[in-house]
């Protein structure tokens, strides 16, 4: 198992096991990170992050949005 990665945006931190989209698979980089109230972390690419944005903001305790970095990754 790889070492967890800490995704940091200002003062928010979400620890994830991988930096890829949970829906699209390991070949697609994640740009949206969410920690749910249950402790589960979710990672999504820009497309899936946009698709689930409203639900994530309504249900997650922390959401980090790095979609603005899509062209830089």
């Amino acid at each position: 198992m790889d070492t967890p990665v800490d995704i940091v945006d200002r003062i928010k931190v979400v620890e994830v096991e991988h930096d890829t989209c949970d829906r699209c698979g390991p070949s697609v980089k994640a740009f949206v990170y969410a920690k749910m109230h249950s402790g589960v972390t979710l990672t999504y690419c820009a497309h899936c992050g946009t698709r689930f944005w409203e639900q994530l903001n309504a249900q997650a305790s922390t959401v980090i949005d790095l979609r603005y970095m899509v062209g830089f990754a």
Side-chain angles (χ1 to χ4, degrees):
M1 182 171 167
D2 293 332
T3 305
V5 177
D6 287 339
I7 305 302
V8 180
D9 181 35
R10 296 183 187 154
I11 61 170
K12 299 177 187 175
V13 177
V14 174
E15 187 176 285
V16 297
E17 291 185 28
H18 53 82
D19 194 20
T20 58
C21 182
D22 287 339
R23 301 254 326 168
C24 297
S27 63
V28 180
K29 182 170 176 20
F31 290 96
V32 176
Y33 305 88
K35 183 170 187 174
M36 306 307 283
H37 293 286
S38 65
V40 173
T41 56
L42 302 172
T43 57
Y44 292 114
C45 65
H47 174 261
C48 293
T50 300
R51 182 176 175 196
F52 299 114
W53 186 252
E54 288 184 31
Q55 294 93 334
L56 287 174
N57 278 297
Q59 298 175 14
S61 61
T62 303
V63 178
I64 298 176
D65 180 11
L66 301 178
R67 292 177 292 171
Y68 66 90
M69 296 182 65
V70 169
F72 301 106

